[in-house]
Amino acid sequence: MPTFGEWRYSVDRDATIAAYRGVSEGGSQRCGCAGCRNFLLARAKIFPPDFFALLNQLGIDPGKDGEVHENVELSPGLHDYGGWFHFVGSLEETGDFTPIHFSENFTVWMCEASAPRLAPLEKHAVVQLEFHCDAVPWLLSESEFD
C-alpha cells in the first residue's frame, strides 16, 4: 500500500486520469478573480518538481485544481495561497500528521475529502490532496489591489 508521510492510501490512477479528462478546466481557471489569475501565472514557478511527480503518480492533472484561494498578502508582491486536488482512492491510515515539505515554502498533506471537487470526481470516493505555499509572487501586470 502506498504511503505519503504517515498517510497510507489506495489510489485508482486510471479512474483519476479518466475523471480529469472529463473536465476542461480547474477551479482557478473557472474563477477569474485576480488572485486565481495570478496563481495560474505562478503555478509553474511555485509547484516543486517533486509535487508535479506526485500529481502524475496519482493521475492528477496539475492544471485542474479543485480550488485555489489566496489567503493574505505577506508583503508587497508576495502572497500566501492554499488549494487542493482530489484523486480516486481512499485513506487507509489518516490523522493529524505533519505536512510534507516539498520546499521551504510549499507543504502538502492528505485528508478525507470535504472540499468541493471537480464534477467528474463527485461520483467517486476520493482523497483530498491539499497544498499551501507562502511565497507566491504577484505576476499580474495589474495592481494587487484592483
Side-chain angles (χ1 to χ4, degrees), residues 4-8 93-100 108-110:
F4 179 71
E6 296 179 69
W7 293 273
R8 285 187 319 121
E93 180 83 26
T94 189
D96 190 19
F97 302 140
T98 302
I100 304 302
V108 180
W109 62 96
M110 290 183 177

Side-chain angles (χ1 to χ4, degrees), residues 3-90:
T3 61
F4 179 71
E6 296 179 69
W7 293 273
R8 285 187 319 121
Y9 63 93
S10 67
V11 59
D12 185 334
R13 186 174 188 272
D14 292 337
T16 302
I17 290 169
Y20 276 90
R21 283 187 185 141
V23 65
S24 61
E25 57 189 11
S28 58
Q29 292 164 307
R30 286 192 315 269
C31 177
C33 75
C36 284
R37 287 185 287 115
N38 183 70
F39 175 80
L40 292 172
L41 292 174
R43 177 174 42 213
K45 297 176 191 304
I46 62 169
F47 281 1
D50 288 346
F51 184 62
F52 280 115
L54 175 64
L55 295 177
N56 181 57
Q57 176 186 339
L58 298 171
I60 295 171
D61 183 332
K64 298 175 183 173
D65 54 83
E67 189 170 305
V68 168
H69 50 89
E70 178 187 11
N71 295 318
V72 67
E73 179 187 37
L74 299 169
S75 62
L78 196 62
H79 295 251
D80 181 289
Y81 276 79
W84 58 84
F85 293 90
H86 294 97
F87 64 90
V88 178
S90 62

